Amino acid sequence: MATILDIAEKLGVSKGTVSKALNGAPDISETLRKTILETAVEMGYTRRRRQKQTAKKLCILVENLDYEEPHQFGYDIVTGFRQMAEPAGFLVEIFPITEKLQRSISYDMFMLQHDYLGAFALGFTLQDPWMTDFQTSSTPTVLYDNYIKTNPRTAYVGVDNNEGMELAVSHLKELGHKKIGYLSGALGSHIMQVRHKAFFQAMRQNGLRADSDFAGASYYISQCLEKHLPRLIQMGMTAIICSHDLLANAAMIQCQQFGIRIPDDLSIIGFDDLPICPYTYPPMTTVRQERTEIGKCGYYALDSLRNSVSIGTLLLHAKLMVRNSTGPVSEKN
Amino acid sequence: MATILDIAEKLGVSKGTVSKALNGAPDISETLRKTILETAVEMGYTRRRRQKQTAKKLCILVENLDYEEPHQFGYDIVTGFRQMAEPAGFLVEIFPITEKLQRSISYDMFMLQHDYLGAFALGFTLQDPWMTDFQTSSTPTVLYDNYIKTNPRTAYVGVDNNEGMELAVSHLKELGHKKIGYLSGALGSHIMQVRHKAFFQAMRQNGLRADSDFAGASYYISQCLEKHLPRLIQMGMTAIICSHDLLANAAMIQCQQFGIRIPDDLSIIGFDDLPICPYTYPPMTTVRQERTEIGKCGYYALDSLRNSVSIGTLLLHAKLMVRNSTGPVSEKN
């Protein structure tokens, strides 16, 4: 393993300068600090635990995800992770990440600079700059709902979306539905792609027809409601599955404004089981992600990676929460 | 939860008789014992821990898999499981299972009768009678290389076969191979089906052609070598991936008897990384399953299911062990 001295010798600077750069001291130029950190990462330098510094630190990197309030999606995930990590002696820091930050520093350098031993990454999209870094990173990293191919230092944790979609479609089929549509957020995230594919697979497995125009995807919910929802209704869909609860809730409200009764005229199913779902009108049938468990499994996978047990994928069983937004297919259909 | 008294009342027998049946006492007819156990399972009876009986028992159910010697495939899996379970206070019993036994008693009844709190099931095929029982079983059960759809009390643990096949095909592509064949054991097991599908997927992802006749599957290795190997060679394959190491080893021996040099004339890749692989002639390039880690993850998943954390799938990263049975494509091809 490279030492501070090795780095200093390679760059022809003093050990003190390397140490300053690694510890984020202010009296060193930004350019030099960056050169030193880059060299440290290249040479495989890993910070050794110092006597004084007792806390072992892990971080939860958060992007595109609210987690601060109990009703928000990320709250329980963060809680579950901390429930496991903190009793095991880790200090867990939550670090909101922007695209700008990702462009300013490589992932491994960021982790080294902050002295993090591993990360649980929530809410990254396929366009995020660090998604490329994760492919070759040597830092143990667990991604919620994102899969990095063949890097033994990364793991993917989430709910089994294929199973979730299968439960949703089977439930509707049992209620007599045959024409089922799918509304989705933009397909720029791994999870939206997985669910989109899972919808068509579940329809096939249930012997139901699903042409490509049975699904519609847009980035903005409003666009989804304006562009795809009326089209699906006109096509005679008696049920619509949505890629996430907020979209399902917006679709229910929109339908009711059109005078379409839920579930009498149209059944709607969401995905995630956000805390609001029992309180929507009507209470929403949705596929549940056990978020506290996802957080716990995230810690377990990260701990495994840190101990060279190379977990690649850990999926929780999905569960269908049947409430009142789904019902038997209307007789007029 | 049903008690012994509930069962006795339902059947109109004494508590003592129910107790005898549950504890396998000899002085009770086989028919009555069976009726009582069936009723106990139906009524959701779970044995309560008694003061005297201190050992909490888990079992490893083994079928079609050798595990007793260190060079055998199952040995490390069993060891890894025990390394986790025994320090946690469990007594682990290894129970070889036959089809006959499965036909004689339902899975839940078997588990109740032996006082097992959960099982790690190794080597089951899709035809095994208990595979049907697992779909509805309420006993926490982790299956190595078998997936049971939507039963929250079962989990699937194994290596990521898609990743493994992708590593094998990419490796061959880098060596210049374009015509790659696939030899497989019979497609009657989940894992043989998964790898078969993964081969074609990996070929597509690497932009290589793979028609259905690029693959051949037979139950017996000898049949595979007689029927499919010569055909693949005649088709001009410069590399062959095998579904498991024993088949790959047999294929290497057979080729050399035909005067085909490995890897000069033909590259061969196995799957599993059995302990023999570094000692075959030539040493075999193969996809490694970290068997001790599979055993450890098996325990983790079982412990999670027992604590209502509903893990469905846990896959370890695959790793390609590059040895001498693969080489650059021969110039004459």
Side-chain angles (χ1 to χ4, degrees):
Chain A
M1 197 184 75
T3 63
I4 289 183
L5 184 62
D6 296 333
I7 301 166
E9 280 176 356
K10 173 150 188 188
L11 292 172
V13 299
S14 72
K15 272 180 71 179
T17 306
V18 174
S19 178
K20 275 182 188 174
L22 292 172
N23 292 303
D27 55 339
I28 179 171
S29 84
E30 186 55 27
T31 318
L32 182 56
R33 188 187 63 81
K34 211 173 156 188
T35 306
I36 290 172
L37 285 176
E38 273 171 3
T39 308
V41 169
E42 269 169 34
M43 295 178 73
Y45 171 79
T46 313
R47 206 180 290 265
R48 266 178 282 188
R49 307 247 57 79
R50 279 154 296 187
Q51 215 62 16
K52 277 191 212 161
Q53 186 186 348
T54 50
K56 297 180 295 174
K57 291 200 297 179
L58 298 177
C59 67
I60 303 181
L61 306 173
V62 188
E63 217 199 342
N64 309 309
L65 197 72
D66 296 319
Y67 63 91
E68 283 162 308
E69 309 281 336
H71 67 273
Q72 292 173 331
F73 187 79
Y75 185 87
D76 291 339
I77 298 180
V78 167
T79 304
F81 186 90
R82 292 181 54 196
Q83 281 174 342
M84 297 285 285
E86 293 179 5
F90 288 98
L91 182 70
V92 178
E93 289 181 357
I94 302 172
F95 213 117
I97 297 294
T98 59
E99 207 180 305
K100 196 181 157 197
L101 173 73
Q102 294 175 59
R103 295 208 183 280
S104 74
I105 185 167
S106 80
Y107 173 61
D108 280 341
M109 272 177 66
F110 168 85
M111 295 295 282
L112 182 63
Q113 195 174 34
H114 288 86
D115 224 5
Y116 292 137
L117 301 173
F120 187 30
L122 312 179
F124 281 68
T125 70
L126 298 175
Q127 286 72 40
D128 270 304
W130 282 358
M131 287 297 282
T132 312
D133 295 18
F134 293 147
Q135 290 172 19
T136 51
S137 165
S138 55
T139 312
T141 306
V142 173
L143 297 108
Y144 167 57
D145 273 357
N146 268 303
Y147 176 66
I148 302 294
K149 208 163 73 175
T150 67
N151 179 351
R153 306 294 278 168
T154 65
Y156 155 36
V157 166
V159 80
D160 187 334
N161 290 282
N162 288 318
E163 186 177 59
M165 209 54 86
E166 163 66 26
L167 290 168
V169 171
S170 306
H171 168 67
L172 291 171
K173 192 183 173 190
E174 275 166 28
L175 292 169
H177 296 274
K178 283 174 190 154
K179 296 202 77 174
I180 303 172
Y182 182 64
L183 277 185
S184 172
L187 302 180
S189 79
H190 171 73
I191 213 59
M192 287 296 132
Q193 292 180 358
V194 166
R195 288 183 188 167
H196 191 263
K197 205 171 148 190
F199 166 72
F200 288 100
Q201 186 180 308
M203 290 291 279
R204 270 197 309 277
Q205 280 175 348
N206 279 278
L208 297 174
R209 193 179 138 203
D211 302 334
S212 60
D213 63 347
F214 280 36
S218 293
Y219 184 81
Y220 293 106
I221 286 184
S222 58
Q223 214 176 356
C224 217
L225 299 187
E226 281 162 26
K227 198 172 158 193
H228 307 296
L229 180 61
R231 181 172 64 77
L232 292 177
I233 292 167
Q234 272 178 359
M235 286 170 73
M237 300 297 162
T238 63
I240 292 175
I241 299 173
C242 299
S243 62
H244 53 294
D245 290 337
L246 293 180
L247 179 56
N249 190 40
M252 291 205 296
I253 293 167
Q254 179 82 334
C255 283
Q256 286 159 354
Q257 282 171 355
F258 290 157
I260 297 168
R261 294 164 304 162
I262 313 288
D264 308 37
D265 303 324
L266 182 74
S267 286
I268 287 197
I269 297 188
F271 212 108
D272 289 338
D273 198 25
L274 287 185
I276 56 156
C277 290
Y279 309 107
T280 57
Y281 179 75
M284 193 193 298
T285 296
T286 184
V287 178
R288 180 164 175 79
Q289 303 207 47
E290 287 288 350
R291 292 183 295 279
T292 310
E293 303 311 344
I294 286 170
K296 288 182 179 175
C297 289
Y299 172 79
Y300 170 72
L302 188 55
D303 192 51
S304 298
L305 292 179
R306 291 191 57 249
N307 291 292
S308 302
V309 176
S310 191
I311 288 181
T313 300
L314 202 169
L315 301 180
L316 288 163
H317 277 294
K319 194 174 162 188
L320 187 71
M321 308 301 289
V322 177
R323 299 199 182 94
N324 304 103
S325 65
T326 49
V329 69
S330 144
E331 293 205 350
K332 71 175 184 201
N333 286 299
Chain B
M1 196 185 75
T3 63
I4 288 182
L5 183 62
D6 297 334
I7 301 166
E9 281 177 354
K10 173 148 188 189
L11 292 172
V13 299
S14 73
K15 271 179 71 177
T17 306
V18 174
S19 179
K20 276 183 187 172
L22 292 174
N23 292 302
D27 55 339
I28 178 169
S29 83
E30 186 54 27
T31 318
L32 182 55
R33 188 187 62 82
K34 209 172 156 188
T35 307
I36 291 172
L37 284 177
E38 272 170 5
T39 310
V41 169
E42 268 169 34
M43 294 177 75
Y45 170 78
T46 312
R47 205 179 290 265
R48 265 178 284 189
R49 305 250 57 80
R50 279 156 296 189
Q51 216 62 16
K52 278 190 212 160
Q53 187 185 345
T54 49
K56 297 180 295 173
K57 290 201 296 179
L58 299 177
C59 67
I60 303 181
L61 306 173
V62 188
E63 216 198 343
N64 309 310
L65 196 71
D66 297 319
Y67 63 91
E68 282 162 311
E69 309 281 338
H71 66 272
Q72 293 173 330
F73 188 79
Y75 186 86
D76 290 339
I77 299 179
V78 167
T79 304
F81 186 88
R82 293 181 54 196
Q83 281 174 341
M84 297 285 285
E86 293 179 5
F90 288 98
L91 182 70
V92 178
E93 289 180 358
I94 302 173
F95 213 117
I97 297 293
T98 58
E99 206 179 306
K100 194 178 160 202
L101 173 74
Q102 294 175 60
R103 294 206 185 283
S104 74
I105 185 167
S106 81
Y107 173 62
D108 279 342
M109 272 177 67
F110 169 86
M111 295 295 284
L112 183 64
Q113 196 175 31
H114 287 86
D115 224 6
Y116 292 137
L117 301 174
F120 186 30
L122 312 180
F124 281 68
T125 70
L126 298 174
Q127 285 73 40
D128 270 303
W130 281 359
M131 287 296 283
T132 312
D133 295 19
F134 292 146
Q135 290 171 20
T136 51
S137 165
S138 56
T139 312
T141 306
V142 174
L143 297 108
Y144 167 59
D145 273 357
N146 269 303
Y147 177 67
I148 303 293
K149 210 163 74 174
T150 67
N151 180 351
R153 306 295 278 168
T154 64
Y156 156 34
V157 166
V159 80
D160 188 334
N161 290 282
N162 288 320
E163 188 178 57
M165 209 54 87
E166 163 66 25
L167 290 169
V169 171
S170 305
H171 169 65
L172 291 172
K173 192 185 171 189
E174 275 166 28
L175 292 169
H177 296 274
K178 283 174 189 156
K179 295 202 78 175
I180 304 172
Y182 182 65
L183 277 185
S184 171
L187 302 179
S189 79
H190 172 71
I191 212 60
M192 287 295 132
Q193 293 179 0
V194 166
R195 288 184 188 167
H196 191 265
K197 206 171 148 190
F199 166 73
F200 287 101
Q201 187 179 305
M203 290 292 278
R204 269 197 309 279
Q205 280 175 349
N206 280 277
L208 297 175
R209 194 180 136 201
D211 301 335
S212 61
D213 63 348
F214 280 35
S218 292
Y219 185 80
Y220 294 107
I221 286 183
S222 58
Q223 213 176 358
C224 218
L225 299 187
E226 281 162 27
K227 198 171 158 192
H228 307 296
L229 181 61
R231 181 172 63 76
L232 292 177
I233 292 168
Q234 272 178 359
M235 285 169 74
M237 299 298 164
T238 62
I240 293 175
I241 299 173
C242 298
S243 62
H244 53 294
D245 290 337
L246 293 180
L247 179 55
N249 191 38
M252 290 206 296
I253 293 167
Q254 179 82 334
C255 283
Q256 285 159 355
Q257 283 172 351
F258 290 157
I260 297 168
R261 294 165 304 162
I262 312 292
D264 307 38
D265 303 325
L266 183 74
S267 286
I268 287 196
I269 297 188
F271 212 108
D272 288 339
D273 197 24
L274 288 185
I276 57 153
C277 290
Y279 309 106
T280 56
Y281 179 74
M284 195 193 297
T285 297
T286 184
V287 177
R288 179 164 176 80
Q289 302 208 46
E290 287 288 351
R291 291 184 295 279
T292 309
E293 303 310 343
I294 286 170
K296 288 183 179 175
C297 288
Y299 172 78
Y300 170 72
L302 188 56
D303 191 52
S304 299
L305 292 179
R306 291 191 56 249
N307 291 292
S308 302
V309 175
S310 191
I311 287 181
T313 300
L314 202 168
L315 302 180
L316 287 164
H317 278 293
K319 194 174 162 187
L320 187 70
M321 308 301 288
V322 178
R323 299 197 183 96
N324 304 105
S325 67
T326 48
V329 69
S330 142
E331 292 205 350
K332 69 176 186 203
N333 286 298

